[in-house]
Amino acid sequence: MNNESVKKPKTGVARLLEISMEQKPLLILGVVLSVISTLLQFAPFIAVYFIVAELLKNASTPELIDYVFIKQWGIYALLFLIGAILTLYVGNMCSHIAAFRILYNMRVSLSRHLAKLPLGYFNRQSTGAIKKNLELSVEKIENFIAHHIPDLVGAIIMPLIMFVAMFVLDWRLALVSMIPIILAYCFQLHVFYSKSAKIKVKRWLDSQERMNAEAVEYVRGMPAVKVFGLTVRNFLRFNNSIADYREVTLEITKTYKHPYTAFFVLLTSLLSFIVPVAIFLLSGQPGNQALALVIMVFLVMAPGISVPVLKLMYLGGNLRYVTDGAERIDMIYAQEPITEPVAPRIPENYSVRFDNVCFSYDDKDAATRTEALKDVSFVAGEGEITALVGPSGSGKSTIANLIPRFWDVGRGSISIGGVDVRQMGTENLMNTVSFVFQDVHLFYDTIEENIRMGNSAAGRNEVIAAAKAACCHEFIERLPQGYQTRIGEGGTYLSGGEAQRVSIARAILKNAPILVLDEATAFADPENEVKIQQGLISLIQNKTVIVIAHRLTTIREADKIVVIDKGRIVETGRHDDLLLHEGLYKHMWEAHIDAGAWELVSEDARKGAQIQ
Amino acid sequence: MKRIIYNITSGNPRSLIKPSVSSLLDGFCKIVPAAIILEIFNVIFRHFQTGEPLDSGRMWLVAGVLIIWMLIQYIAYAWAYDSTYYVAYDASARGRRNLAERLRRLPLGFFGSRDPGDITTMMLGDYTLVETAISHHFPQFISGLALPLLAFVCLLFVNWQMALAMFISLPVSVLIIYLTNSFQVRLSHAHIKAKVDAASRLQEYLLGMREIKAHNLSGTRFERLRLSFHRLMKESIKIEGLMGPIMMSAIGLMRAGLTLLILTGAYLMAAGSLTLPVFLVFVLLGTRVFEPLQVVMVNYAEIKYAMVSAARIMEIQRQPLQYGTDDAPQGNRIEFDNVTFAYEKKNVLKNVSFTIEPCTITALVGPSGSGKSTITRLIARFWDVQGGAIRLDGKDIREIEPEKLLSRISMVFQDVYLFKDTVGNNIRVGKINATHEEIVEAAKKACCHDFITALPMGYDTPVGEGGCTLSGGEKQRVSIARALLKDAPIVLLDEATASLDPENETNVQRAINALVANKTVITIAHRLKTVRGADKIIVLDNGSVSEIGRHDNLVSGDGLYRQLWTLQQQSAGWRMKAV
């Protein structure tokens, strides 16, 4: 977010226009057509002018009136109207097609960009926000391109033409018609751009935000609220925020009342300004037929000017909303993608080496405490099992996440077979390493495809073999359509343990030489647990395994145990060796043995525990 | 129509009257000057027609009226302003409050079954939409329709041919919109489908990013996403392209009114049955009467949109509330009497009967999906049973006021919600009037004290919305501290909470032990080892009770319990080792 680029990127409307220019020809065509349509819409007034002129000229001698001429103008008006509608439609389509194309390109390029970002960017919280940006913020831009630009052009051109026409007809009357419009704008500027107004709007936004926050808390916390009987307190807090929001809104409404009213009344009362001047002018030259004609046309035409002017005002308000969307999108673009090497290198063997690795999370708002690694060095030997052990928050998950470059290290380096992971190229790296994590994401697809993700070239038999090895085959066969059953989104949902086994099957199919896995099967039911364990056994054969261990019993036989505390390695060794020292590992082991013996106990035993 | 109005006001249709009346008044005020101007046209025309001197006195009179009219318009507009905005903001504040109150009284199960994001959107976004619909769109809709009708009736008396020419296109264009409505709906279905599809693909893409990267799938998965975006673009263009002509012809027909007017006027004047001043007034009105109608057309879509929001709000209003007003009885004996419960048409519990004696530990055991957690949730009235009864000390819990029942129960489940408040206050949730000492005491018992004092501001450290800055195990212990402070006689527990944070397992276990002392405990057990000492173990299978007994009896039997026990013994000794 602190990406103040050197080029000083464009913001606001300028940025929006920059985005729009991607479809320049189509967009310009759309705008031109919409201008033409606006011009054509002006035609009825011209018809009226000529009709009135003809009638007025011969007012005292009606027999001389050329009715064919009058009818002709009536038909012209109709033709122009048809032209106006056709150009409007075509122009409209041009702008919309341009807009939808831009939207599409933007979504595609954003998605592509996202795939290049370090995975650390995608924690659960931000996924929702990113999704919202790709959907809504991008949608807002459609509004700008397809509606605002043509509307804006129309809203500017229309009054402009009218004013020009009016000045050509009579500059005095034209000037008078401008007075109420200028006055109205003065009122508006005064209201919206004064300092006190800005403060009020800020207060309004603040109170709205507060209300939103309270609502979220009210709903999310509802179960807790009910269980602890806090309903009244919480309800009151939310209630107060609603009342407060209402107060602020009403107050703002009140301050705007008179300027707003004046604005509207002025804009719709152009006649009240024109008539006196018209009378004054006409009284000076009562016989001037041309002047009378101009006055009549003015009186018919002038009120129409308020429509585009009002439109312009509404557009101004919406624009702020759109630029906000563009800013959010640019925030995603501003995220630095992960760097790819020019010439990816292939590792010589499959040992993993950490060399003085330092790392800190720079995301300040994600946590009050930042986990970090300091000078972490160790080697996970090829074909060996290396276990990472430590209290929660010690950094062992971070170590595992750095290997696939979910983040890049701050200092030091991680290398596989002598090649820095940053030099391997993402594709290469991912082919070398597989992962099995606690939370598994299954795609909305058949279960067969979900397993085949591990190796897209795998044939059906290979998929089934992997499923069997991961103890999935049985439950998959029991699904309504077997391997063709769709997972998620209205399809079948798998239990956590089953999903975990599918992810093991994926990894088996992938058969990458290095395996990073998170041993945590706490939530699985007994049957699943046994199956997951069986699956893991077939998975880890002949691999370099790095395991994040939670239950120490599982990793007693590991070739190397790396004990981590507060981001540093405190001990390294085999289980038996580590137990010989009075270190963290020994403490953890003892606590673990205790925990394993825990029982929820009844009365008598419990009293014993309390005395303790 | 009735339903629309009912929905859009979220069940309070009267709130529309004032804004509509004022909107009409405002429209009326705008039209009147056009009628007054007729006199000016008359005077000028007569001057040229008959050659008599220009009656400027009469014209000044008109000018005077026009200026006074500005004032009247100002007053009317100011009044309209008050009545629309005040009413709308008031209504939505009241509506939000009602909804909040309603939510409070819904069964707890409702909150588990709905995405909380959805409900908040409803309270905020949906209400804002309804607010604007009431304050702007609906009144404009009314006046946009009523004004032309009113003008039409008046103008019929002035010159019926002209009036007809002016308005004839209106019903035709309304008819077009009406007839194509089903077509519109069909079109937007395809569009909405494309949109929903793109949204799901995007969600999948973002959530599955790790897997996508890990398996080098950015190509294929991206292609699916791209295709869905492409389809969305095509559908969007299609809907615009097909709807465009319909809307254009409707708008065009409406605008044609003015042109038709000129055409008819030309013929009528040629026939001598229309004078120039009247013609001019018609033209003047022709430019203004249709302007609110155009607004209506634009608003129509927005009103429809707001209706969807309103309907969602109404749906919540229709959710059944929980009944029961009695106090909870003294005792803590819990009895399930032939309980049957189905959730979303799926049978979860079938004829479950058992009793839980006060101050004993009862464990619920069974494969996942067997109904263990449903039983604990039914005790707390997350939902009400459909058959049979659950009794507390002999009293059907459906007769007890939900809040009073809950005051007797503590729950420690896997999902913990922490309020956006300090850690201390989050513990205080258990007992509102607790002193700081009591809080510290509870925190110590729940093994929270150490990590809390290590936080930057100790007990006064704020925790984020949803409590995102604490680890799972820490949140869990805070929730136990809450429960300790609450000190309710019945404890509902999920044993898995103890292993949420394997590294701190012993701490959580100690905390749980403190919590269950001398309580009536019902626990969902995953690791059978932990409930060996329970007074009663209820083994569930597929929603039915399959065995009840103590560990020793059950393990020596030949039932499900023994099977589960054997399986767990197997996995407990497991070691990761390449063979």
Side-chain angles (χ1 to χ4, degrees):
Chain A
M1 253 159 260
N2 42 12
N3 242 317
E4 305 251 322
S5 176
V6 214
K7 266 197 291 176
K8 201 171 187 196
K10 289 177 182 165
T11 52
V13 181
R15 170 70 181 132
L16 283 172
L17 285 173
E18 187 184 54
I19 294 170
S20 318
M21 276 309 119
E22 186 198 306
Q23 293 283 328
K24 208 168 171 183
L26 209 52
L27 205 64
I28 289 177
L29 185 63
V31 168
V32 167
L33 285 172
S34 111
V35 169
I36 293 175
S37 168
T38 315
L39 286 173
L40 291 174
Q41 280 172 47
F42 199 62
F45 293 108
I46 297 171
V48 169
Y49 177 85
F50 284 107
I51 292 171
V52 174
E54 178 68 17
L55 287 171
L56 211 56
K57 192 172 70 191
N58 306 307
S60 51
T61 50
E63 59 282 359
L64 289 183
I65 295 173
D66 182 356
Y67 285 108
V68 176
F69 175 78
I70 287 177
K71 286 176 199 166
Q72 215 169 42
W73 270 106
I75 289 166
Y76 286 162
L78 192 68
L79 289 176
F80 279 128
L81 175 81
I82 292 168
I85 289 167
L86 283 179
T87 44
L88 185 64
Y89 175 64
V90 177
N92 203 14
M93 278 317 287
C94 288
S95 323
H96 271 96
I97 291 173
F100 290 131
R101 280 192 189 161
I102 290 169
L103 251 57
Y104 166 72
N105 288 338
M106 190 170 233
R107 285 192 172 121
V108 168
S109 86
L110 270 173
S111 308
R112 242 186 218 133
H113 179 74
L114 282 170
K116 286 186 201 132
L117 295 182
L119 260 172
Y121 184 66
F122 299 89
N123 59 52
R124 293 264 162 186
Q125 281 146 314
S126 60
T127 325
I130 300 167
K131 183 168 173 249
K132 204 173 142 198
N133 279 335
L134 253 80
E135 282 170 13
L136 299 180
S137 302
V138 172
E139 204 102 342
K140 284 180 194 165
I141 289 178
E142 184 250 344
N143 244 323
F144 176 76
I145 298 167
H147 300 273
H148 284 153
I149 294 182
D151 281 2
L152 210 68
V153 171
I156 292 169
I157 297 274
M158 187 78 171
L160 222 64
I161 295 170
M162 284 176 101
F163 273 121
V164 168
M166 280 156 79
F167 270 98
V168 169
L169 289 173
D170 189 301
W171 63 271
R172 291 158 300 190
L173 286 173
L175 225 53
V176 173
S177 345
M178 284 185 78
I179 290 174
I181 291 174
I182 291 167
L183 264 179
Y185 266 99
C186 289
F187 273 113
Q188 215 202 351
L189 284 180
H190 171 71
V191 177
F192 287 109
Y193 299 99
S194 72
K195 211 171 179 185
S196 71
K198 274 183 187 154
I199 293 170
K200 274 188 186 124
V201 168
K202 194 181 175 311
R203 258 188 64 204
W204 179 68
L205 289 174
D206 285 349
S207 95
Q208 190 179 38
E209 205 166 288
R210 214 164 32 242
M211 181 173 75
N212 288 2
E214 286 297 342
V216 170
E217 181 114 338
Y218 184 74
V219 174
R220 299 219 167 213
M222 187 58 81
V225 163
K226 289 195 131 197
V227 169
F228 291 103
L230 301 172
T231 45
V232 179
R233 165 181 165 271
N234 238 56
F235 182 69
L236 276 181
R237 274 177 54 175
F238 182 42
N239 196 16
N240 288 343
S241 76
I242 294 175
D244 183 53
Y245 175 67
R246 179 178 160 274
E247 287 315 309
V248 177
T249 315
L250 287 185
E251 197 189 310
I252 287 197
T253 315
K254 218 182 207 162
T255 31
Y256 285 167
K257 180 176 167 184
H258 290 288
Y260 221 69
T261 308
F263 175 79
F264 276 104
V265 169
L266 277 171
L267 270 189
T268 50
S269 304
L270 261 61
L271 285 178
S272 312
F273 286 81
I274 299 170
V275 166
V277 178
I279 299 171
F280 177 76
L281 289 175
L282 198 61
S283 306
Q285 325 161 254
N288 190 339
Q289 209 181 63
L291 181 63
L293 170 65
V294 166
I295 286 171
M296 284 173 146
V297 173
F298 247 88
L299 293 181
V300 171
M301 192 167 79
I305 230 173
S306 63
V307 182
V309 169
L310 273 177
K311 217 175 179 181
L312 212 56
M313 188 195 77
Y314 287 128
L315 284 176
N318 281 336
L319 221 52
R320 245 170 295 165
Y321 177 72
V322 181
T323 47
D324 170 72
E327 271 165 35
R328 281 167 197 280
I329 288 167
D330 282 340
M331 247 147 70
I332 297 183
Y333 277 127
Q335 295 287 334
E336 287 291 335
I338 214 154
T339 48
E340 289 289 331
V342 188
R345 290 172 54 199
I346 309 287
E348 290 146 19
N349 60 61
Y350 299 116
S351 64
V352 179
R353 181 188 186 92
F354 274 63
D355 249 330
N356 284 315
V357 168
C358 295
F359 176 75
S360 59
Y361 293 92
D362 58 354
D363 193 5
K364 285 162 205 84
D365 43 40
T368 46
R369 292 169 295 173
T370 47
E371 274 185 308
L373 297 182
K374 277 164 249 130
D375 292 313
V376 170
S377 300
F378 70 91
V379 179
E382 183 168 9
E384 290 181 355
I385 296 177
T386 304
L388 305 173
V389 169
S392 69
S394 59
K396 56 188 189 298
S397 301
T398 308
I399 291 179
N401 283 336
L402 289 179
I403 299 170
R405 291 186 77 193
F406 285 7
W407 292 278
D408 273 336
V409 298
R411 255 188 309 124
S413 72
I414 301 169
S415 50
I416 294 176
V419 178
D420 191 310
V421 288
R422 285 167 293 192
Q423 297 303 317
M424 282 177 72
T426 306
E427 198 178 328
N428 227 330
L429 178 62
M430 294 303 176
N431 283 336
T432 314
V433 188
S434 342
F435 317 92
V436 176
F437 288 107
Q438 283 184 50
D439 50 332
V440 183
H441 182 84
L442 296 182
F443 288 89
Y444 172 63
D445 209 332
T446 63
I447 195 153
E448 182 174 341
E449 282 306 315
N450 263 296
I451 295 175
R452 188 171 282 129
M453 280 179 62
N455 174 9
S456 43
R460 184 160 183 168
N461 290 334
E462 288 169 87
V463 170
I464 293 175
K468 278 185 176 155
C471 299
C472 299
H473 184 68
E474 253 175 75
F475 87 78
I476 293 173
E477 290 282 85
R478 266 185 274 127
L479 292 174
Q481 276 113 36
Y483 279 87
Q484 299 312 313
T485 311
R486 283 194 169 258
I487 304 300
E489 279 179 53
T492 309
Y493 286 88
L494 300 184
S495 76
E498 288 166 343
Q500 196 127 67
R501 274 142 71 188
V502 170
S503 86
I504 292 172
R506 270 181 192 165
I508 289 175
L509 199 60
K510 184 172 173 181
N511 199 23
I514 297 172
L515 175 68
V516 177
L517 72 90
D518 190 330
E519 170 267 329
T521 50
F523 302 120
D525 53 65
E527 199 197 339
N528 266 315
E529 195 165 344
V530 174
K531 294 280 164 72
I532 291 170
Q533 290 168 351
Q534 285 170 9
L536 284 178
I537 291 290
S538 28
L539 177 60
I540 62 173
Q541 300 307 317
N542 308 316
K543 305 245 161 68
T544 305
V545 179
I546 295 172
V547 54
I548 304 168
H550 301 280
R551 286 181 299 180
L552 301 185
T553 28
T554 20
I555 48 109
R556 263 181 300 178
E557 315 260 339
D559 298 289
K560 182 183 275 173
I561 295 171
V562 178
V563 187
I564 299 136
D565 190 24
K566 298 191 185 100
R568 287 175 190 278
I569 294 179
V570 289
E571 291 170 287
T572 314
R574 293 185 66 100
H575 174 79
D576 298 331
D577 303 330
L578 288 171
L579 279 187
L580 294 177
H581 307 281
E582 275 301 321
L584 180 61
Y585 186 80
K586 191 167 183 217
H587 283 290
M588 288 178 70
W589 176 254
E590 280 160 1
H592 180 71
I593 296 302
D594 274 358
W598 181 60
E599 276 181 58
L600 260 173
V601 279
S602 63
E603 208 57 12
D604 332 300
R606 195 188 296 156
K607 274 180 190 140
Q610 270 178 324
I611 294 160
Q612 218 183 24
Chain B
M1 190 67 184
K2 211 170 151 192
R3 219 194 66 231
I4 295 177
I5 294 173
Y6 197 71
N7 266 350
I8 207 148
T9 54
S10 347
N12 186 18
R14 286 235 295 264
S15 58
L16 284 177
I17 296 177
K18 253 183 143 181
S20 305
V21 169
S22 56
S23 181
L24 259 178
L25 185 76
D26 170 49
F28 177 70
C29 284
K30 279 186 198 156
I31 296 285
V32 166
I36 299 174
I37 232 68
L38 173 65
E39 202 44 40
I40 301 262
F41 292 146
N42 268 332
V43 170
I44 296 175
F45 189 64
R46 217 176 304 130
H47 169 63
F48 286 99
Q49 193 180 29
T50 61
E52 69 185 47
L54 194 70
D55 188 351
S56 26
R58 206 176 166 77
M59 294 214 315
W60 282 115
L61 190 71
V62 173
V65 171
L66 276 175
I67 288 168
I68 292 168
W69 191 259
M70 256 173 88
L71 239 117
I72 294 174
Q73 209 184 328
Y74 190 95
I75 294 164
Y77 193 90
W79 182 77
Y81 182 93
D82 278 354
S83 51
T84 50
Y85 293 108
Y86 279 66
V87 166
Y89 296 136
D90 223 41
S92 62
R94 211 169 332 113
R96 283 195 178 106
R97 213 173 296 148
N98 283 344
L99 187 63
E101 174 67 25
R102 186 92 197 171
L103 282 174
R104 191 158 81 96
R105 295 173 56 206
L106 288 177
L108 263 176
F110 175 81
F111 295 93
S113 64
R114 291 289 288 261
D115 177 4
D118 248 23
I119 305 173
T120 28
T121 312
M122 213 175 291
M123 296 240 262
L124 303 166
D126 286 356
Y127 254 103
T128 316
L129 280 176
V130 171
E131 192 174 81
T132 0
I134 296 178
S135 64
H136 291 86
H137 304 322
F138 201 82
Q140 281 169 359
F141 190 75
I142 297 280
S143 78
L145 284 177
L147 262 182
L149 283 178
L150 208 75
F152 177 58
V153 173
C154 294
L155 290 172
L156 267 181
F157 292 101
V158 180
N159 185 310
W160 68 270
Q161 294 105 320
M162 285 294 274
L164 264 181
M166 190 165 164
F167 287 102
I168 194 138
S169 51
L170 179 60
V172 179
S173 65
V174 170
L175 201 69
I176 289 181
I177 293 179
Y178 179 79
L179 285 180
T180 48
N181 200 37
S182 68
F183 180 55
Q184 273 186 48
V185 170
R186 241 203 340 271
L187 268 186
S188 35
H189 270 314
H191 183 235
I192 287 168
K193 202 182 159 290
K195 211 167 165 172
V196 169
D197 193 47
S200 324
R201 291 291 76 75
L202 182 59
Q203 169 113 357
E204 178 178 84
Y205 183 71
L206 294 175
L207 286 180
M209 188 58 82
R210 193 173 65 191
E211 271 80 359
I212 288 173
K213 284 200 156 191
H215 296 103
N216 278 329
L217 291 169
S218 35
T220 54
R221 293 290 137 178
F222 180 76
E223 192 53 24
R224 267 170 53 147
L225 175 68
R226 195 190 64 74
L227 280 176
S228 78
F229 281 155
H230 195 80
R231 214 164 26 244
L232 177 60
M233 172 181 78
K234 269 178 29 198
E235 283 299 331
S236 304
I237 292 177
K238 196 168 120 197
I239 203 167
E240 205 64 46
L242 291 173
M243 292 297 297
I246 296 169
M247 284 318 269
M248 288 298 152
S249 51
I251 289 175
L253 267 170
M254 220 170 262
R255 290 222 183 109
L258 181 62
T259 315
L260 231 58
L261 201 66
I262 293 168
L263 205 61
T264 315
Y267 280 90
L268 286 178
M269 284 190 289
S273 58
L274 182 71
T275 61
L276 179 62
V278 176
F279 171 69
L280 283 176
V281 170
F282 266 102
V283 173
L284 178 52
L285 278 172
T287 58
R288 313 209 61 187
V289 159
F290 293 109
E291 159 203 325
L293 258 180
Q294 275 184 43
V295 177
V296 168
M297 291 202 163
V298 177
N299 284 354
Y300 184 63
E302 307 232 0
I303 288 186
K304 267 186 161 172
Y305 197 59
M307 265 183 50
V308 177
S309 297
R312 284 213 298 223
I313 296 169
M314 294 297 286
E315 193 208 314
I316 295 258
Q317 303 277 20
R318 274 196 295 268
Q319 289 284 332
L321 295 179
Q322 269 186 326
Y323 296 99
T325 46
D326 295 1
D327 282 341
Q330 282 301 308
N332 294 316
R333 187 169 181 275
I334 299 167
E335 186 189 348
F336 270 60
D337 184 2
N338 228 350
V339 168
T340 298
F341 176 72
Y343 184 70
E344 281 171 0
K345 287 180 197 144
K346 211 180 125 204
N347 263 337
V348 186
L349 293 181
K350 281 161 285 184
N351 301 40
V352 170
S353 297
F354 59 83
T355 38
I356 293 167
E357 297 300 331
C359 292
T360 58
I361 293 179
T362 303
L364 302 172
V365 169
S368 61
S370 57
K372 304 187 288 282
S373 39
T374 309
I375 287 180
T376 55
R377 286 183 159 82
L378 286 178
I379 294 172
R381 285 191 79 187
F382 273 51
W383 301 281
D384 282 333
V385 300
Q386 281 129 359
I390 302 172
R391 297 195 191 89
L392 179 64
D393 199 19
K395 190 177 185 71
D396 192 323
I397 58 169
R398 280 171 293 188
E399 289 163 19
I400 304 171
E401 197 194 317
E403 290 196 18
K404 287 192 173 135
L405 176 69
L406 284 170
S407 72
R408 298 282 290 278
I409 300 173
S410 283
M411 284 185 263
V412 179
F413 289 154
Q414 293 186 25
D415 44 341
V416 180
Y417 183 83
L418 296 189
F419 293 97
K420 211 164 126 191
D421 207 332
T422 63
V423 186
N425 282 340
N426 263 298
I427 296 176
R428 185 173 281 121
V429 159
K431 184 179 168 194
I432 289 303
N433 51 7
T435 61
H436 185 68
E437 284 67 40
E438 285 178 284
I439 289 172
V440 173
E441 164 87 24
K444 278 184 178 158
K445 269 200 208 158
C447 305
C448 300
H449 185 70
D450 288 346
F451 88 78
I452 292 174
T453 40
L455 291 174
M457 285 181 286
Y459 281 86
D460 295 326
T461 312
V463 291
E465 185 210 309
C468 50
T469 55
L470 297 184
S471 80
E474 287 166 344
K475 281 201 274 190
Q476 204 50 251
R477 280 180 274 157
V478 168
S479 88
I480 294 172
R482 277 178 181 172
L484 276 166
L485 204 56
K486 182 173 174 180
D487 199 28
I490 299 171
V491 176
L492 304 180
L493 184 70
D494 188 335
E495 174 259 336
T497 55
S499 47
L500 261 188
D501 189 357
E503 291 76 17
N504 292 302
E505 221 172 345
T506 33
N507 281 338
V508 183
Q509 289 168 352
R510 268 175 34 217
I512 290 179
N513 277 346
L515 177 66
V516 300
N518 299 313
K519 299 276 158 42
T520 305
V521 181
I522 297 110
T523 177
I524 301 169
H526 301 271
R527 288 179 300 177
L528 304 183
K529 214 155 44 93
T530 59
V531 292
R532 268 177 303 183
D535 299 292
K536 185 182 273 179
I537 294 172
I538 299 171
V539 187
L540 292 160
D541 189 19
N542 220 350
S544 304
V545 176
S546 90
E547 291 168 284
I548 296 186
R550 294 186 65 105
H551 173 78
D552 299 336
N553 309 337
L554 291 173
V555 89
S556 55
D558 194 22
L560 179 61
Y561 187 84
R562 187 192 157 94
Q563 233 177 299
L564 292 171
W565 177 258
T566 321
L567 269 176
Q568 287 206 339
Q569 291 300 98
Q570 266 180 40
S571 61
W574 184 68
R575 295 168 197 200
M576 191 177 289
K577 189 181 170 187
V579 277

